[in-house]
């Protein structure tokens, strides 16, 4: 391919051996580009998972909803992956929030307690640092002793 102009591309060379058969109509649903979850599917997955329904039963519900396994654009693994990712994100939010609350409580109880939190561009916890007053004193004393030699 060669770019010709702002929005125009030209095929300069075609190597036929690099081509392959197109996916059959029955297997097209397994192509990554076709395995997108709709918002309605995500809502249903969330609802069923929050209700304690096992992933295999969730797949059965989706299959019945679309009228058969051959019409479902997701695999069982897609469902598992979606649920695992969602749970991990929820867990991270709770863990980070609990940690922040703990740090705030420690700092209010002990002014020598210090913490710093760094977020990434998406607002997720990237790094955290904390130290209590005993550790700060121990570090200061160790620095003073090492400077004596």
């Amino acid at each position: 391919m060669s770019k010709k102009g702002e929005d125009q591309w030209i095929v300069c060379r075609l190597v036929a051996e690099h081509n392959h058969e197109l996916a059959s109509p029955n297997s097209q649903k397994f192509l990554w580009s076709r395995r997108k979850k709709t918002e309605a599917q995500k809502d249903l997955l969330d609802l069923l998972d929050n209700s304690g329904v096992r992933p295999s039963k969730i797949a059965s519900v989706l299959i019945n909803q679309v009228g058969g396994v051959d019409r479902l654009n997701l695999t069982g693994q897609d469902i598992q992956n979606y649920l695992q990712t969602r749970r991990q994100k929820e867990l991270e939010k709770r863990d980070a929030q609990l940690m922040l609350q703990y740090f705030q409580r420690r700092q209010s109880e002990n002014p020598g307690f210090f913490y710093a939190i760094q977020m990434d561009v998406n607002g997720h916890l990237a790094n955290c640092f904390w130290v209590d007053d005993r550790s700060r004193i121990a570090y200061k004393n160790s620095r003073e002793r090492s400077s004596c030699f």
Side-chain angles (χ1 to χ4, degrees), residues 50-136:
N50 291 338
S51 299
V53 178
R54 293 190 331 260
S56 60
K57 295 294 182 189
I58 293 174
S60 296
V61 170
L62 290 172
I63 290 167
N64 287 331
Q65 185 184 40
V66 297
V69 69
D70 56 321
R71 300 185 75 194
L72 184 62
N73 63 324
L74 303 174
T75 65
Q77 191 61 52
D78 292 331
I79 294 168
Q80 290 275 15
N81 291 344
Y82 172 79
L83 295 175
Q84 183 176 1
T85 300
R86 184 179 66 91
R87 290 175 188 149
Q88 185 63 37
K89 287 179 182 177
E90 288 177 8
L91 183 63
E92 288 171 4
K93 286 181 194 175
R94 284 196 308 261
D95 284 350
Q97 188 61 41
L98 289 172
M99 183 180 68
L100 178 59
Q101 290 170 355
Y102 173 77
F103 285 166
Q104 291 169 336
R105 186 173 63 251
R106 287 288 312 268
Q107 193 171 52
S108 70
E109 295 168 354
N110 180 355
F113 183 85
F114 174 82
Y115 72 94
I117 293 178
Q118 183 180 26
M119 309 298 270
D120 66 13
V121 295
N122 298 319
H124 299 116
L125 178 65
N127 296 299
C128 68
F129 172 81
W130 72 93
V131 62
D132 62 15
D133 56 347
R134 285 181 50 210
S135 298
R136 293 170 86 173

